Amino acid sequence: MSNVTEVVEELVSPIVNDLELLLVDVEFVKEGSDWFLRVYIDTPKGDIDIDQCALVSEKLSEELDRVDPITQNYFLEVSSPGAERPLKNEVDFQNAIGQYVFIKTYAPIDGMKEFEGYLITYGPDGAEVEVRIKTRKITVLIDKEKIALARLAIDFSA
């Protein structure tokens, strides 16, 4: 169903841009017998509110009715990506520098596949993360190609 998400991204991008918001992600998923079209938006400051979500939902709904790219019945949800928002592209990673992140890799690095810590840098070589292992802090460089999943996380030790 990636075609649906691509069409929806094309429809919603001008809407969020006009409202000076950010498009974080679009999902089209089946849960049980129901389909859900989920659009995650935010502000550059990370303080999206329910009125902004409702406005995007209303405008997107009009566009979806006009273009009609989805054949089955579905529920449209427009919401905040939450505190643990995904990091999917270069801009997401750049905006997350200095923040606490969780990164899962396809292959182990020094015997580990999950890393949680502060994102120090992100560039052509990958993500440099300061992680705590017991009582010491180490810096790990995670190659971009090895990143399976990345998201903001909550530091419960702070």
Side-chain angles (χ1 to χ4, degrees), residues 93 101-105 113-115 127 129 142 147 149-150:
F93 278 94
V101 298
F102 171 81
I103 298 177
K104 190 173 196 174
T105 59
K113 289 180 73 174
E114 294 184 356
F115 302 87
V129 181
I142 304 169
I147 298 174
L149 176 142

Side-chain angles (χ1 to χ4, degrees), residues 7 53 57 63 73 94 96 103 108 128 137 150:
V7 170
C53 291
S57 178
E63 285 300 298
N73 292 332
Q94 290 300 327
I103 298 177
E128 191 175 13
K137 292 180 181 177

Side-chain angles (χ1 to χ4, degrees), residues 3-95:
N3 188 33
V4 168
T5 59
E6 290 169 10
V7 170
V8 172
E9 281 182 27
E10 288 178 23
L11 293 174
V12 76
S13 288
I15 296 168
V16 297
N17 289 341
D18 286 348
L19 297 170
E20 298 179 0
L21 301 173
L22 303 172
L23 176 62
V24 176
D25 199 11
V26 175
E27 297 177 336
F28 187 58
V29 294
K30 187 173 186 179
E31 294 178 2
S33 60
D34 296 321
W35 283 91
F36 292 87
L37 175 59
R38 293 191 176 113
V39 178
Y40 299 98
I41 60 173
D42 209 348
T43 67
K45 292 181 181 178
D47 59 353
I48 193 81
D49 65 38
I50 195 162
D51 293 331
Q52 292 166 307
C53 291
L55 182 58
V56 171
S57 178
E58 181 181 312
K59 291 178 177 287
L60 177 57
S61 187
E62 291 171 6
E63 285 300 298
L64 289 167
D65 288 345
R66 184 181 64 78
V67 176
D68 201 21
I70 304 171
T71 56
Q72 59 269 58
N73 292 332
Y74 62 94
F75 295 96
L76 172 62
E77 297 176 355
V78 177
S79 68
S80 159
E84 295 187 340
R85 71 182 284 174
L87 304 176
K88 295 195 165 221
N89 57 46
E90 191 86 23
V91 173
D92 291 344
F93 278 94
Q94 290 300 327
N95 289 338

